[in-house]
Amino acid sequence: MESDASEVLDLARLQFALTAGGHFLFVALTLGLVTVVACLQTKATFGGGELDARLVRFWGQLYVVNYAVGIVTGIVMEFQFGLSWSGLTHHAGNVLGATLAVETIVAFFVESTFLGLWIFGWNRMGRWAHLAAIWIVTLTAYASAYWILVSNGFLNNPVGHRVEDGRVVLADPAAVLTNPSALLAFGHVLAGALLTAGFFMAAVSAYHLFRRTPEWVFFGRSLRVGVFLAFPAAVVTAVLGGLQMASIAVLQPVKSAVFRHDTAELARLQAELTARFGPGDYIPSEAWTRGGALVMLIAFALMLYLTLAGFVLAFFRNAVFRFRVWHVALIAAVPLPYLAMIGGWVFREAGRQPWVVYGLLRTEDAVSDLSPAAMRFSLVVFTTLFAALVVLNAWLLGRHARRGPGDVALGRDERADADTDPRDGPPVGPADALPAPRY
Amino acid sequence: MPSVETLAVALLGFYATGYFVLAGADIGTGMVAPYLGRTDRERRLVIASFAPFLLGNEVWLVATAGVFVGCFPVLEGELLTGQFAVVVPLLAGWVVRDAGLWLRGRVTGRAGRGWRAGCDGAVVCGSWTVALAWGWLLAGVLGGTPGRVATGAVAVVTSVAVAALFAAHGLGFAAARLTGPPYERARRLVGRTRAGGSFALTAVLMAAVPVAAGTALPLAGAAADGATLGLLVPALLVVTPLLVAVQAGTWWVFRHRVTGPSYL
């Protein structure tokens, strides 16, 4: 039944890659956009005008749509470990399980509860409490990303443990929490998320300015926020990416050699690892590892030029409102941060193969003992659902972005439309006609 | 002074109970939504009854899974892999239901009628799938075969019984939260108990479900290594009262019966 085992392994890997990658697409925008929304709301609360309040609601609505679809993909992620990779919980559960547990309870639990308060408590809570809610959501979202990268950092660079009876035991918690593989990745992903949000804001704004919609003041401001955010975020992402490359050369020499296409070094490492761990193929797929890194670097180079030019252009009022070529470039650039994110992630994870926990546990030894039929069934179920969710999310984000700030349900005063539900009647009137939000 | 393993079991039980009592209410309400709400607007009101709590409710299961994998990693892997055929539909139902709830109100106007009807279908089908899958999973755990999916009449009867309990819990919740025609319909089925009386009764029954499952699981001796538990359990014990306080605050803010639609 050798072929069955290898089929299950391939299917389980494909399923994990698709669910984690699908989830990551949502997270990238969520994490960046929530920061922007929290900052916008801070300005609106500290004596901002009507425009500030409308900015919070419009960008907040896009954030909530993206978050809601992202959260359901995250739920599937959490259960993937136990479902398909019970070998991982069996061998490394003492470290990996604990970090996942802390993520769910200390970070995600708080984030979800406060997000519910923020969305539904818009006209019920005091404005300071409401502002505190979005900041708690933002900070716990960061905490969540940190704990997930501590878990992932342990897979890439297992530290702070010892092995007893073939199982990992926690030895030095501080080392696990300050793992360079986790900290550098955390900063890199966070800056990448802000970059994604900056590109997204700039593109939506550029669309409205290009179409010359009536909301030019609104989107002029938004475009500037997006562009001024994207440039520093790109620089920080690049710096932390460079530091990670240097760290990989030490911690994961095989990944580094595959990236540099250094065949002599690879032959030497293969011989060294064979001597240490027994016969086997210790070189990850060059197509995925090197390919992922190149996609990331090319997308990144394009973004860097675009954000640098944008950073200068955004200082000129005429360029912001009339430079239509720039508007088109910004709209076309929306996929770039996503390509870079996915490329970098493929590089990180494909490059660690054949290990699931680097140097400790092979991927083939971590997969659950399941039949190929069961694995195929769940792959079809989850892939169909995720593909549908990605398409729906893109369609809804596009729809709400195109409609602009005149038709935003988030933060609408429920008391105003309790009697006349606009859904049953003709198209919704501008939300601005309703009582002004309490900022 | 109870041992750290006992405290880990208590934490697992606490979060699982929280999930069944709290999320059980919104899942149950989703199951009976077509009965309670006959028009688009009425169904939106039904959803508004639990909308502010939705995120806060389902996160109890995320936390349960977190405590499970953190404190009992080997057992978590064995249970999920053994119950693969049940857990996959459970998760799929959860995803479909949540997507329906979150996306329902995002397409407005006449053009969105079909969209909202489709989302309502997703909410109802997803809610029933989740409830039935829980019953099926419990049939395996309570039948003493957590590593194998339950089959036969026992599985069918347990699934239907647990799903009926979810629905009854949802009806009680709806009777305590709604107004207008949906309230009248919930009231008709719940009977003339005092407001919240039926909900309190089903809440006790819902709480008994994970407790029974916990006693059937081989939790003793399955806990993670002492070095892990020694850090994890105290940390979780410190955080848990804060989480409960925050959720209690949410329920207080939205304690009044709903009379109008909300964001969803």
Side-chain angles (χ1 to χ4, degrees):
Chain A
M1 299 305 277
E2 187 59 33
S3 65
D4 269 11
S6 88
E7 188 184 350
V8 170
L9 175 65
D10 287 344
L11 291 169
R13 285 188 63 192
L14 181 61
Q15 178 168 323
F16 198 92
L18 290 174
T19 47
H23 180 57
F24 200 40
L25 289 176
F26 294 99
V27 173
L29 183 60
T30 294
L31 206 55
L33 210 48
V34 71
T35 316
V36 175
V37 170
C39 291
L40 289 173
Q41 186 164 344
T42 306
K43 180 157 189 294
T45 309
F46 279 89
E50 163 113 28
L51 177 63
D52 294 293
R54 294 174 73 225
L55 282 166
V56 177
R57 287 180 56 197
F58 177 72
W59 295 108
Q61 164 123 326
L62 293 174
Y63 157 68
V64 169
V65 167
N66 189 67
Y67 183 98
V69 188
I71 190 178
V72 296
T73 62
I75 286 164
V76 177
M77 273 303 301
E78 193 199 8
F79 288 85
Q80 281 271 300
F81 295 104
L83 280 174
S84 307
W85 302 100
S86 53
L88 188 60
T89 48
H90 186 89
H91 291 282
N94 282 324
V95 174
L96 197 66
T99 54
L100 291 174
V102 175
E103 190 271 335
T104 58
I105 291 178
V106 176
F108 188 62
F109 199 105
V110 185
E111 183 186 358
S112 280
T113 308
F114 276 94
L115 185 63
L117 265 176
W118 185 74
I119 295 173
F120 297 99
W122 209 287
N123 297 299
R124 288 167 189 262
M125 302 164 71
R127 61 194 182 123
W128 296 105
H130 195 237
L131 177 67
I134 192 66
W135 273 111
I136 293 172
V137 171
T138 309
L139 296 178
T140 47
Y142 287 7
S144 197
Y146 166 74
W147 284 101
I148 290 301
L149 285 164
V150 167
S151 312
N152 181 275
F154 184 80
L155 300 183
N156 274 288
N157 177 37
V159 290
H161 70 284
R162 56 172 195 277
V163 178
E164 277 178 15
D165 306 328
R167 293 175 58 182
V168 165
V169 178
L170 184 64
D172 182 359
V176 175
L177 300 184
T178 55
N179 188 347
S181 181
L183 293 181
L184 288 173
F186 173 61
H188 186 62
V189 165
L190 210 57
L194 289 169
L195 180 65
T196 310
F199 267 76
F200 179 75
M201 279 184 89
V204 172
S205 311
Y207 171 82
H208 282 270
L209 295 173
F210 181 80
R211 294 285 305 267
R212 307 247 160 96
T213 61
E215 295 282 0
W216 54 275
V217 178
F218 184 99
F219 286 110
R221 169 92 72 88
S222 297
L223 185 133
R224 281 205 170 109
V225 171
V227 170
F228 285 140
L229 172 66
F231 179 65
V235 173
V236 174
T237 313
V239 169
L240 291 170
L243 287 176
Q244 280 195 98
M245 282 292 188
S247 142
I248 287 167
V250 181
L251 301 175
Q252 295 180 324
V254 186
K255 189 193 277 183
S256 182
V258 171
F259 171 66
R260 285 180 282 110
H261 195 59
D262 187 342
T263 41
E265 173 74 359
L266 281 175
R268 193 186 67 74
L269 287 165
Q270 167 71 26
E272 185 190 306
L273 290 165
T274 307
R276 195 167 145 207
F277 296 109
D281 181 6
Y282 296 96
I283 310 299
S285 153
E286 179 166 330
W288 286 106
T289 309
R290 197 144 184 266
L294 290 178
V295 167
M296 172 182 74
L297 290 173
I298 293 167
F300 193 79
L302 289 172
M303 284 193 285
L304 202 59
Y305 292 127
L306 199 60
T307 51
L308 181 59
F311 190 76
V312 177
L313 284 171
F315 282 104
F316 300 96
R317 201 184 140 78
N318 261 335
V320 170
F321 293 114
R322 296 186 204 287
F323 192 5
R324 293 164 70 83
V325 176
W326 184 33
H327 294 159
V328 173
L330 285 174
I331 298 167
V334 161
L336 287 178
Y338 289 106
L339 278 177
M341 279 271 181
I342 292 296
W345 170 72
V346 167
F347 171 56
R348 182 175 170 93
E349 307 307 331
R352 113 174 102 84
Q353 302 302 324
W355 304 102
V356 63
V357 187
Y358 199 75
L360 285 181
L361 181 67
R362 280 170 229 251
T363 311
E364 64 190 55
D365 297 326
V367 72
S368 296
D369 183 18
L370 290 163
S371 70
M375 222 43 245
R376 240 178 273 132
F377 162 68
S378 71
L379 178 67
V380 170
V381 169
F382 290 136
T383 309
T384 312
L385 281 177
F386 273 46
L389 289 174
V390 169
V391 170
L392 278 178
N393 189 53
W395 177 67
L396 278 173
L397 284 181
R399 181 182 161 94
H400 284 285
R402 270 200 314 279
R403 293 200 155 192
D407 175 23
V408 176
L410 184 71
R412 180 186 289 145
D413 199 333
E414 293 150 24
R415 290 159 299 190
D417 52 24
D419 301 322
T420 52
D421 185 5
R423 278 147 215 268
D424 293 337
V428 194
D432 311 14
L434 292 163
R438 301 196 322 200
Y439 289 117
Chain B
M1 182 71 192
S3 74
V4 71
E5 283 88 357
T6 315
L7 291 172
V9 172
L11 275 171
L12 183 65
F14 180 72
Y15 281 101
T17 306
Y19 170 75
F20 273 86
V21 172
L22 298 174
D26 68 59
I27 293 168
T29 309
M31 290 164 77
V32 294
Y35 165 75
L36 295 176
R38 302 292 163 83
T39 63
D40 185 30
R41 184 176 154 69
E42 282 180 1
R43 281 194 291 274
R44 196 172 168 220
L45 189 71
V46 171
I47 289 172
S49 72
F50 60 78
F53 313 120
L54 175 67
L55 275 171
N57 286 349
E58 66 187 11
V59 82
W60 285 80
L61 181 56
V62 179
T64 306
V67 176
F68 204 2
V69 77
C71 298
F72 307 92
V74 177
L75 186 61
E76 197 250 13
E78 284 169 5
L79 180 71
L80 287 189
T81 304
Q83 300 288 338
F84 192 85
V86 184
V87 177
V88 171
L90 176 68
L91 292 179
W94 189 358
V95 169
V96 168
R97 176 188 131 82
D98 267 25
L101 286 169
W102 280 109
L103 304 181
R104 184 185 191 280
R106 300 286 66 82
V107 181
T108 49
R110 282 185 203 285
R113 277 185 196 281
W115 170 268
R116 292 196 294 279
C119 286
D120 285 336
V123 172
V124 177
C125 293
S127 302
W128 276 94
T129 308
V130 170
L132 287 166
W134 273 121
W136 196 11
L137 185 72
L138 286 162
V141 173
L142 294 174
T145 57
R148 199 155 37 78
V149 173
T151 49
V154 178
V156 176
V157 170
T158 316
S159 296
V160 173
V162 169
L165 179 58
F166 269 86
H169 194 46
L171 273 175
F173 178 78
R177 291 279 304 156
L178 285 167
T179 51
Y183 164 74
E184 296 298 333
R185 288 182 201 115
R187 185 87 177 141
R188 216 173 296 147
L189 282 194
V190 167
R192 298 251 152 238
T193 50
R194 204 167 51 80
S198 151
F199 184 63
L201 175 68
T202 50
V204 172
L205 292 174
M206 286 297 263
V209 169
V211 173
T215 51
L217 277 175
L219 288 168
D225 181 69
T228 300
L229 286 190
L231 281 177
L232 184 59
V233 169
L236 298 184
L237 284 173
V238 168
V239 178
T240 300
L242 296 174
L243 301 182
V244 172
V246 171
Q247 288 233 330
T250 310
W251 284 82
W252 176 255
V253 170
F254 300 102
R255 66 192 177 282
H256 300 296
R257 286 177 181 271
V258 295
T259 52
S262 76
Y263 171 74
L264 291 189

